[in-house]
Amino acid sequence: LYLLSLQHLGVRNKFVRMKVLVNNKEKEVNSPFTIHDLSTDLQLSQQGIAIAVNNKMIPRTEWEQYSLQENDQVVIIKAACGG
């Protein structure tokens, strides 16, 4: 309905901005914005990364379809080697 009302006003192909928390830092992104978009934007490695949204781990197989929502809390976990 919101997009329809924007089109009615002659506004097309405009993104709505939203704020999400990424590792406790506020980040403003376009909506829709997926976890895949976020990982690309942050130039994250393709290996050794896990992402949780609102305390729920999201499988990498769902990153391209999982759309972030306003005020989501995202935690990015990077694997570290060592002993």
Side-chain angles (χ1 to χ4, degrees), residues 4-45:
L4 291 175
S5 63
L6 283 177
Q7 288 178 351
H8 176 72
L9 295 172
V11 178
R12 294 176 189 261
N13 299 326
K14 296 284 183 182
F15 290 101
V16 176
R17 300 293 283 174
M18 67 177 178
K19 293 178 183 176
V20 296
L21 284 178
V22 179
N23 290 353
N24 294 319
K25 293 181 183 174
E26 191 173 273
K27 181 168 180 64
E28 192 169 308
V29 297
N30 292 328
S31 177
F33 202 76
T34 66
I35 294 176
H36 175 76
D37 296 333
L38 179 65
S39 69
T40 300
D41 184 63
L42 297 175
Q43 299 177 344
L44 298 177
S45 171

Side-chain angles (χ1 to χ4, degrees), residues 44-72:
L44 298 177
S45 171
Q46 294 297 311
Q47 300 292 323
I49 299 292
I51 296 181
V53 178
N54 301 323
N55 296 317
K56 180 184 176 214
M57 295 301 293
I58 309 301
R60 185 178 292 270
T61 57
E62 296 179 19
W63 287 12
E64 287 190 31
Q65 295 83 27
Y66 193 103
S67 292
L68 296 171
Q69 304 298 314
E70 179 83 26
N71 298 316
D72 273 349

